[in-house]
């Protein structure tokens, strides 16, 4: 059992991190659906000059003016990129890239000119100071909470409110921008409002978790939601949950490995993403492979049962064996072994359950062949092709309908 | 101005580096993968850390290999994820970037705590670069890379063209589009890895994106785009290094990037054809042409003594300034004759006005017959018509108009 | 191999003898995301014919083209192009894509695109030379686009864009040319131009297979027709099979049980229950 060593301090760190992740995750869903997942990256880099200018203008190391400067810079990034795309014909990704990398370079130069001696510590913005969160505390209703929780929680509530308020509108804008534009919605305003929210959230989270993590928290939990869910509602829930879980795992992991929380949060979210891609029920890679395998096995087993049943009745076989590709030979052997182990086949003759399965299959097969030949005009040499072995797919309902007569079938 | 040998080395190295970045950036721009460079650049961090942990040394070669491997890994992930899942390209790029860079940060923290010698200064150097410390060997490396890349691009020009423009055609052209694509990605990864120590993570991405985007304004041809991107990249390297050497406290990396940005802005504004100023001026001149045409048409109307209703419908709103300019331009071109009382069309001017009317008729005819659009809604210029409709179509339409007997 | 002059006669065409059909399809079944899109297709398209693939939306017409091109692999059955497996002699197949799938903003001009058709004969590291350029210009003349050779492709009208890709297929010296709805949304004059090019191709012995939507124009123009609606309704010479009854079967909706069977296949293969939610 791992000794978690979770102190109250750790809990506070976890709380701040979880709120930041949730706040980013909510907006991340909107960005991912609009194919603008890289906006988080762009803002994370592009705010640097804003921070420096805020510092210079205010003359102090207070966080607030820097964050205001960052906010202005963030909005600047999205608007400028949009302008380049619309009016200068620059490709979307390139427009974003030009803007934020230039601003980042500008920011570094500004640091060198104005802030060299003051140790502005751009690293603070990059990696955040979530580990130091518990150090500065403020009073809330008699409880002592980390100061950095304030902007983060504020952003979370803001995003939550916006998500709820604009649910229908955002959904339409995301899925069908044409229709949204055509209808009475103030499409531009809504989209720009979304961008402003992204800017606010990023900046609010910078101090807490750093800009690096904002990139990950905007993109990854939402992508996990995208992989697992088919509706925006479930996507939002999964995304928020994934963010919170990443925060928890990340904090624990950071304590264990004695490294920074933001990095471990990103890694945790990565692990969750890998898990989602591999294991998503239905669509995941592993369930799909498993399903294919069990399907092939089932078909093979049923075929063997049917063939051996026919043989045992001294009837002619239904179709000649298809030439064995190595893989199908493998399945054949495996299926035979499994049938034997399960007791469905004894001495090459289906018994018990196996015999019942054989009979059912043969009945379905003859029904289908008759249907195919009479109703669909399938040529006889096509009936044996694998794609036409529909008998394996027929469930009881369809079988009954086939049986109860083709006459009632519409054409 | 005396340039020390050291500065010369750095100058040449930066120029070569800029060339590489410009070339590979153009390819990425054409494949619409501009931000892949950013993702790859950030993804080198975990590779470097792991190489450091495993290799124990800080030799650039060892770290470079680590960086290259994780760069290739991230590029592969970004290509594969959209293919095997429903994750889209932008989300894949952002996720790979965030996760791998986060992993890198975590590893840096581990290295620092373990006291193995990695330092925050080293990390900052990686993020921001230290061109000033460019060694002769590095500059040589850049030079060789630039030459090799140019060679590859020149010799594989048609393969690259097919891979970027129409990969599905690859099979028909006997070109392995997937392999060429992998080659391009590897070139990108290699460029980023060698650029990292000099320019840093974010700024490498900048150099890959900005010169190519700038170059796009200048040309509509594949080869020329590659050449101009390389040129702008080289110029950025040169100018940036020169400028930063004048102020000793400015790191060269950001200055090189801002030089590239400046060239981008210049291209945006000044490029003939696609540049903003050029397009603006084109629009202005076309507007003025139209105003003159409408002016001449107005005179034609009165000369033909058309009913005032028709005339009113055709009169656009003008200002005194526009009127004046119309007069000046028309008389200078010999399209009108003026005496103190009236304005009259010259034969040339009349020909011009009649032809303009005919063209408009043809256009409207085409719209109503083929496109079923209400004719009064559209009003285009002669040039547009000739550009949009092929000559044989114009003939066909003209014949159908003549056949119908409309004047 | 350098080209000098155009290939007027079919004797210049490489590949198997002319007796074999251009395309042979046997029991082709293609699925997309576990749902059958083409089912049990049997067809033969003779060489030198002008063949139309006709059917309602979603009938699998574009899928059939992709299967012929080899970009989609069949679930069962097979195709042979010029008596060879799909993908073996790809240079003999020219493809004129649908307009939406092309990046028109790409910095290539008309001549560049047509020159791409010559690449298969050039091999690695060689550039198209004067001979290839001349040959490309001939192909452009054939489609009436020679004076637009320096235009960037995005500046062309829809019909002109089609013609450029046809010219590319000509430059490839393709024996088989596939086109996906070339006449869709094209004005009358361009339609005429494309028609003339197609007739010219037929005269030269090429096989042209295209997905077509305009039923009015089929009888007079195409000598071969494939009526498709998930399954093959009929295939053969236009005169024989382009009948009202066949058209009714093509456009008149599908067999419900067949639909259900297809749906059952899909459900089982994707692990979804009847209501469509993940299990």
């Amino acid at each position: 059992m791992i000794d978690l060593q979770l102190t109250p301090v750790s809990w506070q760190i976890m709380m701040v991190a979880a709120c930041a992740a949730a706040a980013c995750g909510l907006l991340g869903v909107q960005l991912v659906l609009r194919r603008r997942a890289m906006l988080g990256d762009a803002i994370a880099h592009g705010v640097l000059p804003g921070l420096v200018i805020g510092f210079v203008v205010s003359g102090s190391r207070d966080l607030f003016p820097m964050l205001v400067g960052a906010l202005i810079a963030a909005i600047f990034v999205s608007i400028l990129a949009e302008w380049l795309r619309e009016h200068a014909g620059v490709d979307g990704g390139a427009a974003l890239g030009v803007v934020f990398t230039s601003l980042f370079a500008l920011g570094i130069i500004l640091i060198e000119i104005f802030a060299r001696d003051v140790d502005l510590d751009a690293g603070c913005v990059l990696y955040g100071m979530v580990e130091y969160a518990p150090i500065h505390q403020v009073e809330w209703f008699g409880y002592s909470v980390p100061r950095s929780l304030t902007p983060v929680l504020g952003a979370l509530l803001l995003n939550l409110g916006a998500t709820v308020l604009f649910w229908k509108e955002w959904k339409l804008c995301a899925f069908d921008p044409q229709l949204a534009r055509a209808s009475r919605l103030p499409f531009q305003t809504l989209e720009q409002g979304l961008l402003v929210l992204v800017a606010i959230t990023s900046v609010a989270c910078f101090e807490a978790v750093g800009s690096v993590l904002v990139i990950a928290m905007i993109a990854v939990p939402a992508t996990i939601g995208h992989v697992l869910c088919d509706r925006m509602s479930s996507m939002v829930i999964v995304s928020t949950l994934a963010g919170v879980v990443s925060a928890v795992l990340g904090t624990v992991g950071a304590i264990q490995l004695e490294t920074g929380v933001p990095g471990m949060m990103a890694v945790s979210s990565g692990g969750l993403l890998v898990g989602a891609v591999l294991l998503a029920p239905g669509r995941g890679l592993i369930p799909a492979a498993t399903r294919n395998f069990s399907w092939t096995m089932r078909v093979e087993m049923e075929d063997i049962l049917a063939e051996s049943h026919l043989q045992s009745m001294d009837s002619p076989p239904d179709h000649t064996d298809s030439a064995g590709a190595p893989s199908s030979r493998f399945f054949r052997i495996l299926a035979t072994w499994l049938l034997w182990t399960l007791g469905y086949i004894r001495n090459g003759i289906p018994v018990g359950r196996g015999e019942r399965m054989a009979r059912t299959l043969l009945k379905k097969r003859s029904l289908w062949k008759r249907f195919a030949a009479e109703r669909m005009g399938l040529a006889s040499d096509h009936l044996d092709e694998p794609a036409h072995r529909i008998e394996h797919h027929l469930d009881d309902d369809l079988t009954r309908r086939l049986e109860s007569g083709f006459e009632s079938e519409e054409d | 101005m005396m340039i020390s040998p050291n500065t010369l080395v750095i100058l040449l190295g930066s120029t070569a580096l800029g060339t590489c970045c410009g070339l590979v950036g153009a390819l990425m721009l054409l494949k619409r993968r501009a931000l892949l460079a950013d993702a790859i650049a950030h993804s080198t961090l975990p590779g470097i850390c792991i190489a450091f942990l495993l290799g124990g040394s800080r030799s650039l070669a060892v770290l470079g290999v680590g960086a290259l491997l994780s760069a290739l890994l991230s590029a592969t992930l970004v290509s594969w994820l959209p293919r095997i899942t429903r994750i889209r390209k932008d989300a894949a790029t952002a996720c790979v970037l965030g996760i791998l860079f986060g992993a890198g940060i975590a590893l840096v923290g581990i290295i620092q705590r373990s006291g193995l010698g990695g330092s925050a200064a080293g990390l900052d150097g990686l993020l921001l670069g230290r061109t000033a410390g460019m060694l002769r060997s590095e500059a040589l490396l850049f030079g060789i890379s630039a030459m090799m890349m140019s060679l590859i691009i020149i010799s594989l020009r048609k393969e690259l063209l097919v891979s970027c423009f129409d990969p599905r055609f690859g099979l028909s052209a006997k070109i392995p589009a997937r392999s060429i694509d992998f080659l391009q990605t590897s070139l990108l990864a290699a460029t980023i890895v060698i650029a990292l120590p000099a320019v840093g993570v974010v700024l490498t991405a900048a150099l890959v994106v900005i010169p190519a985007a700038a170059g796009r304004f200048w040309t509509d041809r594949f080869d020329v785009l590659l050449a101009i991107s390389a040129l702008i990249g080289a110029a950025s390297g040169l100018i940036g290094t020169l400028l930063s050497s004048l102020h000793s406290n400015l790191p060269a990396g950001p200055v090189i990037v801002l030089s590239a940005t400046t060239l981008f802005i210049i291209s945006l504004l000044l490029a003939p054809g696609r540049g903003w100023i050029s397009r603006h001026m084109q629009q202005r001149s076309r507007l003025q042409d139209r105003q003159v045409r409408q002016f001449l048409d107005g005179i034609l109307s009165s000369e033909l003594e058309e009913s005032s209703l028709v005339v009113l419908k055709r009169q656009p709103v003008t200002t005194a300034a526009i009127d004046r300019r119309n007069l000046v331009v028309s008389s200078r071109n010999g399209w009108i004759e003026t005496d103190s009382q009236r304005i009259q069309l010259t034969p040339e001017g009349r020909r011009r006005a009649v032809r303009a009317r005919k063209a408009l008729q043809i256009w409207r005819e085409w719209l109503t017959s083929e496109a079923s659009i209400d004719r009064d809604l559209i009003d285009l210029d002669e040039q547009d018509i000739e550009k949009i409709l092929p000559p044989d179509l114009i003939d066909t339409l003209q014949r159908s108009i003549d056949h119908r007997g409309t004047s | 191999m350098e080209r000098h002059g155009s290939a007027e006669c079919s004797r210049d065409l490489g590949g198997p003898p002319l007796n074999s059909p251009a395309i042979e399809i046997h029991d082709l079944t293609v699925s997309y995301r576990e749902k059958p899109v083409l089912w049990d297709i049997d067809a033969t398209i003779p060489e030198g014919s002008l063949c139309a693939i006709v059917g309602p939306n979603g009938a699998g017409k574009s899928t059939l083209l992709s299967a012929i091109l080899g970009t989609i692999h069949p679930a069962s059955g097979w195709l042979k192009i010029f008596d060879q497996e799909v993908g073996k002699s790809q240079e003999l197949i020219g493809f004129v894509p649908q307009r939406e799938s092309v990046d028109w903003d790409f910095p290539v001009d008309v001549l560049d695109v047509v020159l791409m058709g010559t690449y298969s004969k050039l091999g690695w590291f060689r550039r198209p030379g004067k001979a290839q350029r001349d040959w490309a210009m001939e192909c452009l003349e054939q489609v009436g686009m020679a004076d637009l050779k320096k235009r960037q492709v995005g500046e062309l009208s829809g019909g002109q864009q089609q013609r450029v890709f046809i010219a590319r297929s000509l430059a490839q010296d393709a024996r088989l040319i596939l086109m996906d709805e070339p006449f869709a949304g094209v004005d009358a004059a361009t339609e005429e131009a494309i028609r003339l090019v197609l007739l010219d191709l037929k005269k030269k012995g090429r096989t042209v297979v295209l997905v077509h939507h305009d039923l009015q124009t089929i009888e007079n123009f195409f000598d071969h027709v494939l009526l498709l609606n998930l399954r093959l309704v009929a295939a053969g010479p236009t005169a024989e099979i382009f009948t009202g009854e066949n058209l009714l079967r093509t456009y008149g909706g599908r067999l419900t049980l067949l639909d259900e069977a297809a749906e059952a296949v899909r459900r089982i293969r994707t692990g979804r229950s009847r209501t469509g939610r993940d299990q």
Side-chain angles (χ1 to χ4, degrees):
Chain A
M1 189 60 191
I2 306 176
D3 180 10
L4 285 181
Q5 299 173 20
L6 279 182
T7 63
V9 168
S10 313
W11 281 111
Q12 294 203 333
I13 296 176
M14 208 184 285
M15 188 168 50
V16 173
C19 289
C24 294
L26 279 173
L27 290 185
V29 170
Q30 302 301 329
L31 287 180
V32 164
L33 287 175
R34 286 165 177 71
R35 299 176 200 248
R36 305 178 81 164
M38 287 297 279
L39 191 62
D41 178 41
I43 288 182
H45 292 90
V47 294
L48 192 60
L51 288 172
V52 180
I53 293 179
F55 163 77
V56 165
V57 161
S58 78
S60 76
R61 285 192 67 191
D62 263 348
L63 221 43
F64 186 70
M66 286 206 278
L67 292 182
V68 167
L71 187 60
I72 297 176
I75 298 178
F76 198 54
V77 165
S78 18
I79 294 183
L80 201 53
E82 205 51 44
W83 187 89
L84 279 180
R85 194 157 53 153
E86 292 287 328
H87 293 113
V90 183
D91 173 51
L96 206 58
V98 168
V99 171
F100 81 77
T101 52
S102 306
L103 286 177
F104 189 76
L106 180 65
I108 295 188
I109 291 187
L110 288 178
I111 290 182
E112 290 296 319
I113 297 179
F114 293 110
R116 195 118 170 282
D117 308 319
V118 190
D119 183 25
L120 187 63
D121 194 11
C124 144
V125 176
L126 285 174
Y127 319 126
M129 299 188 304
V130 73
E131 292 85 352
Y132 300 114
I135 293 182
H136 306 280
Q137 300 271 342
V138 294
E139 284 284 321
W140 273 14
F141 309 116
Y143 286 102
S144 176
V145 295
R147 190 201 59 179
S148 54
L149 186 60
T150 318
V152 168
L153 202 54
L156 175 58
L157 293 173
L158 184 64
N159 294 342
L160 204 55
T163 305
V164 165
L165 259 160
F166 297 120
W167 183 260
K168 291 194 311 298
E169 289 77 7
W170 270 356
K171 201 178 194 178
L172 189 61
C173 291
F175 285 106
D176 200 345
Q178 312 267 34
L179 183 58
R181 258 185 262 255
S183 67
R184 308 286 218 81
L185 287 181
F187 183 75
Q188 286 290 68
T189 317
L190 278 174
E191 292 299 283
Q192 275 165 5
L194 175 63
L195 295 181
V196 169
L197 278 179
V198 174
I200 294 176
T201 308
S202 313
V203 170
C205 295
F206 278 167
E207 192 212 347
V209 292
S211 58
V212 167
L213 192 62
V214 167
I215 302 174
M217 285 301 111
I218 283 184
V220 184
T223 307
I224 295 175
H226 189 46
V227 166
L228 291 177
C229 307
D230 287 329
R231 299 191 209 319
M232 192 161 111
S233 46
S234 32
M235 200 168 147
V236 166
I237 295 174
V238 170
S239 167
T240 316
L241 220 60
V244 169
V245 170
S246 306
V248 170
L249 290 177
T251 314
V252 168
I255 295 173
Q256 290 296 312
L257 294 175
E258 291 190 356
T259 178
V261 169
M264 289 310 293
M265 273 175 73
V267 171
S268 314
S269 68
L272 290 176
L273 181 62
V274 168
V277 164
L278 288 180
L279 298 174
R283 213 173 293 113
L285 300 179
I286 292 183
T290 316
R291 226 181 8 250
N292 273 332
F293 179 77
S294 62
W295 175 254
T296 315
M297 284 298 294
R298 180 180 141 191
V299 168
E300 202 61 46
M301 281 165 61
E302 285 182 350
D303 276 344
I304 294 176
L305 283 173
E307 283 309 309
S308 35
H309 183 76
L310 284 174
Q311 240 180 5
S312 72
M313 316 279 274
D314 290 324
S315 316
D318 255 349
H319 24 251
T320 51
D321 281 350
S322 49
S327 56
S328 66
R329 223 175 296 150
F330 164 73
F331 278 109
R332 187 154 269 261
I333 296 175
L334 192 57
T336 316
W337 175 84
L338 194 58
L339 284 171
W340 186 86
T341 318
L342 287 171
Y344 289 176
I345 260 194
R346 282 280 174 267
N347 300 325
I349 302 177
V351 294
R353 178 116 190 263
E355 192 189 349
R356 280 197 297 281
M357 282 171 71
R359 278 194 217 270
T360 319
L361 185 76
L362 285 170
K363 179 176 83 174
K364 286 184 189 175
R365 183 183 288 171
S366 74
L367 270 178
W368 176 254
K369 277 193 177 174
R370 186 179 156 198
F371 177 78
E374 291 183 16
R375 280 302 161 127
M376 293 179 4
L378 269 185
S380 54
D381 67 337
H382 290 182
L383 285 172
D384 298 329
E385 288 291 326
H388 300 304
R389 310 271 203 93
I390 306 295
E391 59 260 22
H392 299 282
H393 298 262
L394 294 176
D395 60 12
D396 295 328
D397 181 50
L398 278 176
T399 315
R400 255 190 313 252
R401 288 176 61 185
L402 274 177
E403 260 180 326
S404 66
F406 312 129
E407 296 84 42
S408 51
E409 218 55 62
E410 317 145 23
D411 212 340
Chain B
M1 183 171 66
M2 285 292 295
I3 301 184
S4 70
N6 200 38
T7 315
L8 192 62
V9 163
I10 299 179
L11 271 177
L12 289 176
S14 305
T15 311
L17 184 60
T19 311
C20 279
C21 292
L23 282 174
V24 86
L27 293 175
M28 288 300 124
L29 181 70
L30 289 174
K31 299 188 89 120
R32 297 179 185 265
R33 280 197 216 152
L35 290 176
L36 182 62
D38 193 34
I40 290 183
H42 284 84
S43 310
T44 55
L45 188 58
I48 294 175
C49 292
I50 293 180
F52 180 76
L53 285 172
L54 290 181
S57 83
R58 289 169 89 197
S59 93
L60 234 56
V62 170
L63 298 183
V65 167
L68 189 61
L69 287 177
S70 69
L72 287 174
L73 171 69
S74 67
T76 312
L77 283 175
V78 173
S79 312
W80 273 12
L81 279 175
R83 264 188 247 154
I84 58 179
T85 67
R86 55 154 45 152
I87 301 177
R88 292 190 275 234
K89 189 179 68 169
D90 64 307
T93 314
C95 287
V96 167
L97 199 167
I99 295 171
L100 287 183
F101 192 56
I105 304 263
L107 283 169
V108 165
I110 293 179
I111 292 177
Q112 283 176 337
R113 304 297 156 93
S114 68
L116 279 174
S119 67
L123 183 62
D124 276 345
L126 210 55
L127 285 175
L128 305 177
R130 32 158 208 76
T131 324
M134 194 189 297
L135 306 166
R136 202 162 283 214
S137 54
E138 284 179 296
L140 196 61
L141 179 62
F142 295 152
I144 295 179
S145 308
M147 282 196 295
M148 275 184 51
M149 190 163 308
S150 311
L151 205 63
I152 292 178
I153 289 185
I154 291 177
S155 56
L156 287 180
R157 181 228 175 230
K158 64 179 197 293
E159 283 79 6
L160 290 169
L161 180 59
V162 168
S163 162
C164 291
F165 175 58
D166 193 358
R168 288 172 312 167
F169 187 67
L171 214 47
S172 307
K174 284 206 166 135
I175 289 175
R178 282 263 167 95
S179 313
I180 300 285
D181 192 56
F182 182 69
L183 174 67
Q184 291 178 53
T185 313
S186 313
L187 287 176
L188 177 65
T191 306
I192 290 177
V193 167
I194 66 175
L196 275 181
V199 203
V201 168
V202 178
L203 305 176
T204 311
L207 278 184
V208 172
V209 174
I210 302 179
R216 188 70 183 88
F217 287 110
W218 293 96
T219 177
D220 268 336
R221 297 174 48 194
F222 182 69
D223 308 289
V224 179
L225 175 63
L226 285 169
I228 293 189
S229 303
L231 208 63
I232 293 182
S236 311
L238 190 64
I239 297 174
T241 312
L242 272 176
L243 283 179
S244 83
S245 68
L246 295 177
H247 300 272
S248 54
N249 62 336
L250 281 184
V255 180
I256 294 176
V257 171
L258 285 183
S259 315
T261 310
T262 312
L263 290 174
F264 175 82
I265 296 176
I266 293 177
S267 308
L268 172 73
L269 292 174
L270 297 181
R274 283 174 78 112
W276 196 75
I277 292 183
S278 169
R279 284 194 307 178
H280 206 64
M281 281 178 39
Q282 275 174 25
Q283 279 175 355
R284 279 259 313 266
S285 92
R286 281 171 43 156
L287 185 62
Q288 286 173 357
D289 280 348
R290 171 189 297 196
Q291 283 161 350
V292 168
R293 220 182 3 260
Q294 283 166 342
F295 171 68
L296 291 179
D297 193 76
I299 303 179
L300 183 66
S301 286
S302 57
E303 289 188 4
L304 292 178
E305 285 162 14
E306 288 173 340
S307 81
S308 52
L309 270 179
V310 178
V311 171
L312 276 176
K313 200 160 113 172
R314 289 212 175 105
Q315 291 290 13
V317 175
T318 63
T319 66
I322 297 180
D323 281 338
R324 255 198 313 273
R325 189 179 54 234
N326 288 339
L327 272 173
V328 166
V329 169
S330 304
S331 61
R332 193 176 46 199
N333 280 305
W335 296 333
I336 58 172
E337 287 167 342
T338 57
D339 55 33
S340 53
Q341 281 155 331
R342 22 183 286 147
I343 306 171
Q344 208 179 356
L345 288 176
T346 62
E348 174 62 36
R350 180 171 266 251
R351 247 196 307 275
R352 201 179 168 82
V354 167
R355 201 178 59 203
R357 270 207 189 174
K358 277 225 165 111
L360 203 58
Q361 262 176 354
I362 292 179
W363 175 240
R364 287 175 174 162
E365 173 69 29
W366 182 84
L367 284 175
T368 39
S369 69
E370 294 292 327
S372 316
I373 296 179
D374 182 3
R375 61 176 65 201
D376 282 327
L377 290 178
I378 313 288
D379 205 349
L380 273 178
D381 307 333
E382 220 169 77
Q383 294 106 297
D384 294 321
I385 299 169
E386 272 161 20
K387 197 167 171 198
I388 294 176
L389 301 181
D392 38 359
L393 177 59
I394 293 184
D395 287 334
T396 312
L397 288 170
Q398 180 67 63
R399 268 181 274 125
S400 82
I401 295 174
D402 293 336
H403 181 72
R404 214 100 51 66
T406 345
S407 71
Chain C
M1 138 188 154
E2 311 274 321
R3 291 225 65 99
H4 303 283
S6 57
E8 270 299 312
C9 43
S10 325
R11 262 176 267 132
D12 278 344
L13 303 172
L18 294 175
N19 299 326
S20 56
I23 304 179
E24 234 188 297
I25 308 175
H26 177 75
D27 195 23
L28 181 70
T29 299
V30 176
S31 51
Y32 176 67
R33 297 213 175 143
E34 313 292 1
K35 182 165 181 172
V37 174
L38 286 174
W39 204 347
D40 170 48
I41 310 287
D42 249 354
T44 307
I45 299 178
E47 176 136 24
S49 63
L50 196 48
C51 176
I53 301 178
V54 172
N57 278 336
K61 310 191 292 278
S62 299
T63 312
L64 184 57
L65 283 189
S66 301
I68 298 173
L69 267 178
T71 52
I72 291 187
H73 296 290
S76 83
W78 49 260
L79 293 127
K80 278 201 187 160
I81 321 286
F82 300 121
D83 216 24
Q84 300 195 333
E85 268 174 46
V86 172
K88 283 280 161 39
S89 44
Q90 202 71 10
E91 328 80 69
L92 295 177
I93 307 181
F95 180 57
V96 178
Q98 270 181 324
R99 283 213 289 289
E100 301 83 57
S101 58
V102 180
D103 177 11
W104 297 110
D105 207 29
F106 202 90
V108 274
D109 57 35
V110 165
L111 187 59
D112 277 333
V113 175
V114 179
L115 274 174
M116 284 188 204
T118 63
Y119 287 177
S120 61
K121 302 199 174 66
L122 284 176
W124 292 92
F125 303 124
R126 286 184 55 195
R127 336 198 80 209
K130 181 157 180 356
Q132 280 78 33
R133 230 169 281 272
D134 289 339
W135 171 234
M137 283 306 297
E138 271 192 61
C139 298
L140 274 175
E141 298 222 6
Q142 276 195 279
V143 300
M145 293 275 296
D147 40 335
L148 291 174
K149 68 176 184 214
K150 278 297 160 194
R151 268 304 162 81
Q152 195 253 337
V153 287
E155 294 177 4
L156 302 173
S157 73
Q160 291 167 335
Q161 288 167 343
Q162 298 277 25
R163 286 193 262 169
V164 169
F165 280 96
I166 294 178
R168 183 176 78 176
S169 302
L170 289 176
Q172 252 180 286
D173 208 19
R175 263 172 89 180
L176 168 65
I177 299 179
L178 305 174
M179 301 174 67
D180 201 343
E181 304 246 16
F183 294 105
V186 146
D187 59 78
T190 311
E191 187 182 312
E192 182 65 19
I194 298 180
R195 240 173 49 92
L196 290 174
V197 169
L198 293 183
L199 285 175
D200 193 55
L201 287 172
K202 184 170 156 61
K203 216 171 19 161
K204 294 198 171 77
R206 326 274 172 156
T207 315
V208 180
V209 175
L210 51 91
V211 172
H212 196 61
H213 63 281
D214 184 8
L215 296 177
Q216 315 276 33
T217 50
I218 292 196
E219 271 187 285
N220 299 330
F221 191 58
F222 295 94
D223 47 49
H224 228 77
V225 168
L226 231 77
L227 294 173
L228 208 58
N229 184 353
L230 179 67
R231 300 187 55 227
L232 188 73
V233 173
T238 317
E240 283 173 29
I241 69 153
F242 199 66
T243 64
E245 182 194 335
N246 279 343
L247 281 176
L248 200 61
R249 284 171 61 198
T250 311
Y251 285 88
R254 304 185 193 173
L255 300 168
T256 51
L257 199 62
L258 189 57
D259 258 342
E260 284 213 35
E263 184 59 23
V265 171
R266 191 188 71 84
R267 276 203 306 270
I268 295 178
R269 298 307 294 274
T270 56
R272 285 172 140 73
S273 68
R274 269 185 184 263
T275 49
R277 291 198 208 285
D278 289 16
Q279 284 172 335

